[in-house]
Amino acid sequence: MTDKPLPSLPETLELATGAALTSAGLVMASHLTPGTKDHALAFLAIYGTMMNTVLGRALRFTFTERIEPFMRGFTWRYGADPVEAHAKFEATAKANENNPTFNDAVYRSFRQMMDAADDSVMPALGSMGGLYSSQGKKADAFFRGFGRVLCDLEAGELQQLTKLLKEIDALNEQDQDFWLDVAIDWQEVDDKDEPFLWIVQTASSGHRAPGFEWMPRFFTLLKRESLARNKSSRYESKRNFESGDLAMYIEAAVIKQMLEILAPMSSGPTTSSSAESSGQA
């Protein structure tokens, strides 16, 4: 048997894309009536090669742009030293070659890497995949849900989300409540309404962080993925704080779990210096 060199990454990705397109085309054709099947197969024959090249190129471009920051976050979970971390991951992958839990976590992590809207979340997605694979954890509802949240973030939003979670965690540092009523409200400062974030304890008191940047859609994203829920009814206001993007009811442990995933991107430890207790909203 003649030894042949392994195909290059571009060739591998284009071959995989071609195989996927061919399979999809054959499956599609098998569900068509005889009259339309010939047209579908003719279309596949004419445009299949072109689409193979175009999609293969797009897949290769996305992969090569994202794999380095993704793997930086991934291997960070295997050790601080890049060389040692790579060796540990390689040994773990070999030991778990036939482990469906390990392989599923890696596969789903790779899918998230390719599906994300913005490159900035690559280290975070890698961090989550590395954490789950290194600990032998099954890719559970949190993995899938928070992965979808990260994949939906636009440029600049990862930093905002990290800040939001760190602020919530800091506001809860004193009381260490298990479940948190979190709301965004406004207060008048120099004749202008400015938003602030607070953890509601009664209808008129709680811990709050003034001067907070308005982040209108993160509550909705987290609730969409069942990482949070609509608020309890103890905060009565003329505004509707029980649903929508102004409030959420979230478990403190979930906040810490998300911050653990975002640890490689953290610019510093969470502090409570911005938190203050308020007797009146």
Side-chain angles (χ1 to χ4, degrees):
M1 181 177 179
T2 304
D3 291 334
K4 294 183 178 179
L6 293 174
S8 65
L9 176 61
E11 291 172 332
T12 302
L13 293 174
E14 287 178 8
L15 285 170
T17 306
L21 281 170
T22 301
S23 299
L26 292 175
V27 170
M28 174 188 69
S30 68
H31 289 80
L32 298 176
T33 61
T36 57
K37 183 181 295 185
D38 291 341
H39 295 292
L41 292 174
F43 178 89
L44 185 64
I46 296 171
Y47 294 104
T49 302
M50 181 183 69
M51 291 301 295
N52 178 21
T53 301
V54 173
L55 289 181
R57 185 172 62 231
L59 180 62
R60 181 174 73 248
F61 176 81
T62 302
F63 181 88
T64 53
E65 286 289 309
R66 294 181 168 185
I67 189 61
E68 193 277 331
F70 173 85
M71 287 306 299
R72 194 183 336 121
F74 195 101
T75 55
W76 183 80
R77 291 296 179 181
Y78 285 82
D81 180 83
V83 176
E84 293 181 2
H86 179 81
K88 186 177 179 181
F89 170 61
E90 190 174 18
T92 303
K94 186 175 182 180
N96 289 275
E97 183 177 358
N98 298 311
N99 183 339
T101 298
F102 176 88
N103 291 331
D104 183 64
V106 174
Y107 167 69
R108 291 181 184 276
S109 188
F110 176 82
R111 279 184 55 191
Q112 291 171 349
M113 179 191 78
M114 299 301 290
D115 287 344
D118 188 71
D119 293 350
S120 64
V121 301
M122 291 303 108
L125 292 173
S127 168
M128 185 161 65
L131 179 66
Y132 272 69
S133 63
S134 64
Q135 296 183 355
K137 295 175 62 176
K138 182 177 176 58
D140 54 14
F142 173 84
F143 181 99
R144 298 189 300 273
F146 192 47
R148 285 189 290 267
V149 169
L150 292 173
C151 286
D152 270 358
L153 297 183
E154 304 289 348
E157 288 189 329
L158 178 63
Q159 184 179 5
Q160 292 179 329
L161 176 62
T162 304
K163 178 184 177 182
L164 170 68
L165 297 175
K166 292 177 72 173
E167 288 281 10
I168 295 172
D169 190 52
L171 289 172
N172 191 43
E173 185 175 329
Q174 178 180 341
D175 295 328
Q176 294 292 306
D177 289 330
F178 292 106
W179 283 89
L180 309 175
D181 264 336
V182 184
I184 295 177
D185 203 347
W186 288 266
Q187 61 184 352
E188 187 174 315
V189 177
D190 297 329
D191 297 325
K192 294 170 58 179
D193 283 340
E194 292 190 358
F196 66 89
L197 177 77
W198 73 320
I199 294 179
V200 184
Q201 293 179 319
T202 69
S204 60
S205 67
H207 300 292
R208 65 179 182 176
F212 194 74
E213 184 178 355
W214 176 235
M215 301 175 183
R217 77 187 193 106
F218 293 142
F219 289 177
T220 301
L221 284 176
L222 293 172
K223 287 190 285 188
R224 184 195 70 186
E225 300 301 337
S226 299
L227 298 170
R229 61 182 69 171
N230 286 336
K231 281 176 59 64
S232 68
S233 59
R234 59 181 170 179
Y235 182 23
E236 299 175 0
S237 171
K238 63 182 179 180
R239 301 188 185 96
N240 178 16
F241 280 97
E242 297 178 11
S243 62
D245 60 7
L246 297 178
M248 66 178 176
Y249 194 52
I250 190 167
E251 196 173 0
V254 174
I255 295 288
K256 291 189 179 295
Q257 195 173 3
M258 289 187 284
L259 285 173
E260 171 67 9
I261 297 302
L262 299 175
M265 286 63 60
S266 178
S267 58
T270 300
T271 66
S272 57
S273 59
S274 64
E276 63 181 33
S277 294
S278 170
Q280 183 71 33

Coordinates of all heavy atoms in Angstrom, one line a residue, residues 219-250:
F219 N -31.6 40.4 29.7 CA -32.5 39.7 30.5 C -33.4 38.8 29.6 O -33.7 37.6 30.0 CB -33.4 40.6 31.3 CG -32.7 41.4 32.4 CD1 -33.4 42.4 33.1 CD2 -31.4 41.1 32.7 CE1 -32.7 43.0 34.1 CE2 -30.7 41.8 33.7 CZ -31.4 42.8 34.4
T220 N -33.8 39.3 28.5 CA -34.6 38.5 27.6 C -33.9 37.3 27.0 O -34.5 36.2 26.9 CB -35.1 39.4 26.4 OG1 -35.8 40.5 26.9 CG2 -36.0 38.6 25.4
L221 N -32.6 37.5 26.7 CA -31.9 36.3 26.2 C -31.7 35.2 27.2 O -31.9 34.0 26.9 CB -30.5 36.8 25.8 CG -30.3 37.5 24.4 CD1 -28.9 38.0 24.2 CD2 -30.8 36.6 23.3
L222 N -31.4 35.6 28.5 CA -31.3 34.6 29.5 C -32.6 33.9 29.9 O -32.6 32.7 30.1 CB -30.7 35.3 30.8 CG -29.3 35.9 30.7 CD1 -28.9 36.7 31.9 CD2 -28.3 34.7 30.5
K223 N -33.7 34.7 29.8 CA -35.0 34.0 30.1 C -35.4 33.1 28.9 O -36.0 32.1 29.1 CB -36.0 35.1 30.4 CG -35.9 35.7 31.7 CD -37.0 36.6 32.1 CE -37.0 37.9 31.4 NZ -38.1 38.8 31.9
R224 N -35.0 33.5 27.7 CA -35.4 32.7 26.5 C -34.8 31.3 26.7 O -35.3 30.3 26.2 CB -34.8 33.4 25.3 CG -35.2 32.7 24.0 CD -34.4 33.2 22.8 NE -33.0 32.8 22.9 CZ -32.0 33.2 22.1 NH1 -32.3 34.0 21.2 NH2 -30.8 32.7 22.3
E225 N -33.6 31.2 27.3 CA -32.9 29.9 27.4 C -33.1 29.3 28.7 O -32.4 28.3 29.1 CB -31.4 30.1 27.2 CG -31.0 30.7 25.8 CD -31.5 29.8 24.7 OE1 -31.7 28.6 24.9 OE2 -31.7 30.3 23.5
S226 N -34.1 29.8 29.5 CA -34.5 29.2 30.8 C -33.3 29.3 31.8 O -33.3 28.5 32.8 CB -34.9 27.7 30.6 OG -36.1 27.6 29.8
L227 N -32.4 30.2 31.6 CA -31.4 30.5 32.6 C -31.9 31.4 33.7 O -31.3 31.6 34.7 CB -30.1 31.0 31.9 CG -29.5 30.1 30.9 CD1 -28.4 30.8 30.1 CD2 -28.9 28.9 31.6
A228 N -33.0 32.1 33.4 CA -33.7 33.0 34.3 C -35.1 32.9 34.0 O -35.6 32.2 33.1 CB -33.2 34.4 34.2
R229 N -35.9 33.6 34.8 CA -37.4 33.5 34.6 C -38.0 34.9 34.9 O -37.3 35.8 35.4 CB -38.0 32.5 35.5 CG -37.8 32.7 37.0 CD -38.5 31.7 37.9 NE -37.7 30.4 37.8 CZ -38.0 29.3 38.5 NH1 -38.9 29.4 39.5 NH2 -37.3 28.2 38.4
N230 N -39.3 35.1 34.7 CA -39.9 36.3 35.0 C -39.9 36.6 36.5 O -39.9 35.6 37.3 CB -41.4 36.4 34.5 CG -41.4 36.5 33.0 OD1 -40.5 37.0 32.4 ND2 -42.5 36.0 32.4
K231 N -39.9 37.9 36.9 CA -39.8 38.2 38.3 C -40.9 37.8 39.1 O -42.0 37.5 38.6 CB -39.6 39.7 38.4 CG -38.2 40.2 38.1 CD -38.1 41.7 38.1 CE -38.5 42.3 39.5 NZ -37.6 41.8 40.6
S232 N -40.7 37.8 40.4 CA -41.8 37.6 41.4 C -42.6 38.8 41.4 O -42.2 39.9 40.9 CB -41.2 37.2 42.7 OG -40.5 38.3 43.3
S233 N -43.7 38.8 42.2 CA -44.6 39.9 42.2 C -44.4 40.9 43.3 O -45.2 41.8 43.5 CB -46.1 39.4 42.3 OG -46.2 38.6 43.5
R234 N -43.3 40.8 44.1 CA -43.1 41.6 45.2 C -42.7 43.0 44.9 O -42.7 43.9 45.8 CB -42.1 41.0 46.2 CG -40.7 40.8 45.6 CD -39.8 40.1 46.7 NE -38.5 39.7 46.1 CZ -37.6 39.1 46.9 NH1 -37.8 38.9 48.1 NH2 -36.5 38.7 46.3
Y235 N -42.2 43.3 43.7 CA -41.8 44.6 43.3 C -43.0 45.3 42.5 O -43.2 45.0 41.4 CB -40.6 44.6 42.4 CG -40.1 46.0 42.0 CD1 -40.4 47.1 42.8 CD2 -39.3 46.1 40.9 CE1 -39.9 48.4 42.4 CE2 -38.8 47.4 40.6 CZ -39.1 48.5 41.3 OH -38.7 49.7 40.9
E236 N -43.8 46.1 43.2 CA -44.9 46.8 42.6 C -44.5 48.1 42.1 O -43.9 48.9 42.7 CB -46.0 46.9 43.6 CG -46.5 45.6 44.1 CD -47.6 45.8 45.2 OE1 -47.9 46.9 45.5 OE2 -48.1 44.8 45.8
S237 N -44.8 48.4 40.8 CA -44.4 49.6 40.2 C -45.4 49.9 39.1 O -46.1 49.1 38.6 CB -43.0 49.5 39.6 OG -42.7 50.6 38.8
K238 N -45.4 51.2 38.7 CA -46.3 51.6 37.5 C -45.7 50.9 36.2 O -46.5 50.8 35.3 CB -46.3 53.1 37.4 CG -45.0 53.7 37.1 CD -45.1 55.3 37.0 CE -43.7 55.9 36.7 NZ -43.9 57.4 36.6
R239 N -44.4 50.6 36.2 CA -43.9 49.9 35.1 C -44.1 48.4 35.2 O -44.3 47.9 36.3 CB -42.4 50.2 34.9 CG -42.1 51.6 34.8 CD -40.6 51.8 34.4 NE -40.2 53.2 34.4 CZ -39.6 53.8 35.4 NH1 -39.4 53.2 36.5 NH2 -39.3 55.1 35.2
N240 N -44.1 47.7 34.1 CA -44.2 46.2 34.2 C -42.8 45.6 34.4 O -42.1 45.4 33.4 CB -44.9 45.7 32.9 CG -45.0 44.2 32.9 OD1 -44.9 43.5 34.0 ND2 -45.2 43.6 31.8
F241 N -42.5 45.3 35.7 CA -41.2 44.7 35.9 C -41.3 43.2 36.1 O -40.3 42.6 36.5 CB -40.6 45.3 37.2 CG -40.0 46.6 37.1 CD1 -40.7 47.8 37.3 CD2 -38.7 46.8 36.6 CE1 -40.2 49.0 37.1 CE2 -38.1 48.0 36.4 CZ -38.9 49.1 36.7
E242 N -42.4 42.6 35.7 CA -42.5 41.1 35.9 C -42.2 40.4 34.6 O -42.1 39.1 34.6 CB -43.9 40.8 36.4 CG -44.2 41.4 37.7 CD -45.6 41.1 38.2 OE1 -46.3 40.3 37.5 OE2 -46.1 41.7 39.2
S243 N -41.9 41.1 33.5 CA -41.6 40.4 32.3 C -40.8 41.3 31.4 O -40.6 42.5 31.7 CB -42.9 39.9 31.6 OG -43.7 41.0 31.3
G244 N -40.4 40.8 30.2 CA -39.7 41.7 29.3 C -38.3 41.8 29.6 O -37.7 41.0 30.3
D245 N -37.7 42.9 29.2 CA -36.2 43.1 29.3 C -35.8 44.0 30.5 O -34.6 44.3 30.6 CB -35.7 43.6 28.0 CG -36.3 45.0 27.6 OD1 -37.0 45.6 28.5 OD2 -36.0 45.5 26.5
L246 N -36.7 44.3 31.4 CA -36.4 45.2 32.5 C -36.1 44.4 33.8 O -35.6 45.0 34.7 CB -37.5 46.2 32.7 CG -37.8 47.2 31.6 CD1 -39.0 48.1 32.0 CD2 -36.6 48.0 31.3
A247 N -36.4 43.2 33.8 CA -36.2 42.4 35.1 C -36.1 40.9 34.8 O -36.5 40.4 33.8 CB -37.4 42.7 36.0
M248 N -35.6 40.2 35.8 CA -35.5 38.8 35.8 C -35.4 38.3 37.2 O -35.0 38.9 38.1 CB -34.4 38.3 34.9 CG -33.0 38.6 35.4 SD -31.7 38.0 34.4 CE -30.2 38.6 35.2
Y249 N -35.8 37.0 37.3 CA -35.6 36.3 38.6 C -34.6 35.1 38.3 O -34.9 34.3 37.5 CB -37.0 35.7 39.0 CG -37.1 35.2 40.4 CD1 -36.7 36.0 41.5 CD2 -37.7 34.0 40.7 CE1 -36.8 35.5 42.8 CE2 -37.8 33.5 42.0 CZ -37.4 34.3 43.0 OH -37.5 33.8 44.3
I250 N -33.5 35.1 39.0 CA -32.4 34.2 38.6 C -31.7 33.6 39.8 O -31.6 34.3 40.8 CB -31.4 35.0 37.7 CG1 -30.4 34.0 37.1 CG2 -30.7 36.1 38.4 CD1 -29.5 34.6 36.0

